[in-house]
Amino acid sequence: MNLSESHRLFNHDENEGDKMITQVYSNIYKNEILLPNNPLKAINSYIIRGEDRNLIIDTGFNIPGCKDAFMKGMEELGIERKKTRLLVTHLHSDHSGLAAALQKEGVTVCAGAIDGRLINEMTEEAYWDRFKDYGRLFDLEKDNISFHDHPGYKYCPKEPIDFIYLKEGDVLKVGDYTFEIVDIPGHTPGHIGLYEQKHKLFFCGDHILDKITPNITFWGFEQDILSVYFNNLQKVAQYDIALLLTAHRSTIKDHRKRIQELLEHHRLRLNEILMIIKESKKSVRDTAAAMHWELRYDRWEDFPNPQKWFAAGEAMAHLEHLVATGKAEKIKESEIIYYKAK
């Protein structure tokens, strides 16, 4: 389950100025595409230019403003659509939103198999109907919540995409670069990244971000997604990386330091939630309402619907991890799930 293409919640000021194409490495450019009325502000779409073929990583929302910025970036660098592959690192709509439209214009579209299939499922209303059940399960019916105003629903691709599916170890050659696909699930079930060994570059999507914390949310009871994320943070820590190119905010030069900061963030988060559910059982919604969020809102009741989905999903991922590690128990009553510390 996921509606989120966002991350840890935080305050922001809208920056309405146009972003520019900037070179971040030899023949590698960052197209910073604005995400209107979204706390993430912008996405870093990367363009790798080669003589015979080009590669672009991630797209922005499925809205005219993002498409205009995306196409202007290609035009500025003289990128031909039919000589270009788009790689979608994961399913969130700020990364995949324009994939269907770009494929219609001759761009080859690649993704990991898990998230690629989920992106195509998201073009059907049946995918989103499941969230009515999650609303009840999480106790969000107290807030009369809907997903229809959520950017994940509004800005995702609306038509199926004929993806070229990539798996770990596959290689994409662009100019002087040889990129290897790396599986890094956690933020989504099938998140992928690209590693360039010679130059020690790693395109990590939303797996690791600077300043803000990637949202780790509930994806179903089949796996403890927080443990999956922790394992893949440690996986990336083993790589020799000089520059970590992230999908939001700044690039990262000391990836191991940032990984330790993220692990510490989640350790503190888990301890906070244990204290919330220590004395009595709590629903997911009531747990999320008691947690600390870096928002300008003082009360849970004032949170916009999308932020309530993000917060509940993050709370649920942490609660399920506490159950998986034997620190909490869960009880289901009248279609609502509750958690209590052991």
Side-chain angles (χ1 to χ4, degrees), residues 1 16 33 124 144 156 181 194 200 211 216-217 225-226 229 236 243 254 258 261 267 316 323 341:
M1 169 268 182
E16 299 299 337
I33 298 172
E124 302 291 336
N144 194 29
C156 67
I181 301 300
L194 295 90
K200 302 179 182 179
K211 310 271 186 223
I216 309 303
T217 194
I225 197 65
L226 198 57
Y229 180 63
V236 175
L243 190 63
D254 190 342
R258 184 56 183 152
E261 290 171 351
R267 186 189 70 81
M316 184 66 163
V323 171

Side-chain angles (χ1 to χ4, degrees), residues 1-2 88-92 96 110-123 127 130 161 163-168 170 181-193 219-220 222-223 225 228 232 235:
M1 169 268 182
N2 187 256
V88 175
T89 58
H90 62 287
L91 63 83
H92 289 147
S96 66
C110 307
I114 294 173
D115 275 22
R117 290 175 185 137
L118 286 171
I119 289 168
N120 281 338
E121 286 183 22
M122 290 164 67
T123 65
Y127 177 91
R130 287 180 271 173
I161 298 156
F163 286 109
I164 294 176
Y165 289 129
L166 302 173
K167 63 182 184 301
E168 181 158 56
D170 284 348
I181 301 300
V182 182
D183 288 336
I184 46 174
H187 180 60
T188 66
H191 197 308
I192 60 174
W219 288 96
E222 298 81 9
Q223 61 181 339
I225 197 65
V228 171
N232 283 298
K235 177 180 180 177

Side-chain angles (χ1 to χ4, degrees), residues 3 145-155 304-307 309:
L3 277 170
I145 198 166
S146 168
F147 58 80
H148 289 95
D149 60 350
H150 193 288
Y153 175 76
K154 292 195 296 183
Y155 304 140
N305 275 353
Q307 306 291 22
W309 276 114

Side-chain angles (χ1 to χ4, degrees), residues 229-264:
Y229 180 63
F230 292 161
N231 290 339
N232 283 298
L233 284 177
Q234 299 290 6
K235 177 180 180 177
V236 175
Q238 303 307 309
Y239 281 78
D240 186 8
I241 300 170
L243 190 63
L244 193 72
L245 295 117
T246 66
H248 303 281
R249 302 298 192 271
S250 304
T251 56
I252 296 171
K253 293 184 177 179
D254 190 342
H255 68 296
R256 295 188 178 99
K257 177 183 177 183
R258 184 56 183 152
I259 286 168
Q260 290 306 311
E261 290 171 351
L262 291 173
L263 290 170
E264 176 65 8

